Amino acid sequence: MDAITLNLFPTAVHQVRTKGWDKYKGYLLNSINNQPDPSYRPRAGYYTDYGKPQPWRKRIWGEFIEPELRPFITQTQTKLQDIWAQQYIDQAGFTTHRHQPTGYSCVLYAEFDPNEHWATTLFRPFLDPNDVRNVNDCYTPKVEEGEILIFPSWMLHQATPSDSLVPRTIVAFNLEEDLSNRM
């Protein structure tokens, strides 16, 4: 018998090890910790500046993230859609969700202790007939501080709460198709 195997529906997830995060970490954390407006902390143990002014954005995105991801952004013909910082402490997390139907969602692990925290959990986007017990229906990568996780924006994911009083801080952002580069 002649046969071939077709891997028809792969889902690529990228884990990028950055260089020089320690130069920017203190700046971001000071921006978050010195934010006096209580609307940035809508519940105990949780900070977000989604949809709010971000004094750190120009430096963190423009000087650090964008240059680190420039090859990926160029190859995928994408551009920044939105960006925000989040911080979780003591049982704070974010429930399972997805973003837009196209493009990429990204997480920079800005303050992260692998002995205290979990990385973003990703959920398999389709049933796998070879996994009849559904034991591999989610994946939580092992990441280090300063790494960036990139995955399709339509993929279900969550920030799993931990019991730690050590903050877990991320910068989340979405990349969308850059139509200005298309003919």
Side-chain angles (χ1 to χ4, degrees):
M1 175 174 99
D2 288 333
I4 60 171
T5 300
L6 303 171
N7 189 7
L8 294 178
F9 304 110
T11 303
V13 173
H14 311 275
Q15 196 167 330
V16 179
R17 180 160 295 171
T18 64
K19 294 178 184 74
W21 171 242
D22 52 337
K23 177 182 171 185
Y24 295 91
K25 177 181 174 179
Y27 175 75
L28 176 69
L29 295 181
N30 283 336
S31 295
I32 290 171
N33 294 333
N34 293 332
Q35 177 53 255
D37 185 341
S39 70
Y40 285 76
R41 291 175 178 80
R43 66 181 191 266
Y46 180 68
Y47 167 95
T48 183
D49 56 25
Y50 184 81
K52 298 182 182 316
Q54 303 157 332
W56 54 265
R57 181 178 178 153
K58 183 176 180 182
R59 185 165 182 208
I60 300 298
W61 171 258
E63 292 181 24
F64 180 72
I65 297 174
E66 194 280 333
E68 286 282 332
L69 293 185
R70 193 170 293 138
F72 181 84
I73 291 168
T74 300
Q75 179 184 4
T76 58
Q77 297 183 359
T78 55
K79 65 180 181 179
L80 181 66
Q81 179 190 37
D82 52 5
I83 188 168
W84 62 99
Q86 289 185 189
Q87 189 176 70
Y88 309 97
I89 302 169
D90 189 26
Q91 291 298 318
F94 206 88
T95 59
T96 304
H97 64 286
R98 64 173 55 98
H99 296 210
Q100 67 265 11
T102 62
Y104 298 92
S105 292
C106 310
V107 179
L108 164 66
Y109 295 92
E111 183 179 26
F112 186 85
D113 181 342
N115 296 317
E116 299 282 337
H117 307 124
W118 290 280
T120 305
T121 298
L122 305 171
F123 294 89
R124 185 174 53 207
F126 45 81
L127 293 176
D128 180 353
N130 298 310
D131 183 13
V132 294
R133 293 189 191 140
N134 265 341
V135 294
N136 296 312
D137 61 344
C138 64
Y139 177 70
T140 305
K142 297 206 180 303
V143 300
E144 294 179 14
E145 196 170 273
E147 287 187 346
I148 299 173
L149 185 66
I150 304 170
F151 51 93
S153 288
W154 47 260
M155 184 173 276
L156 284 170
H157 60 283
Q158 75 178 21
T160 304
S162 78
D163 294 332
S164 179
L165 296 176
V166 176
R168 173 180 51 181
T169 307
I170 65 163
V171 174
F173 56 100
N174 291 312
L175 301 173
E176 66 181 350
E177 185 177 9
D178 187 355
L179 299 176
S180 68
N181 292 330
R182 305 284 175 162
M183 301 263 329

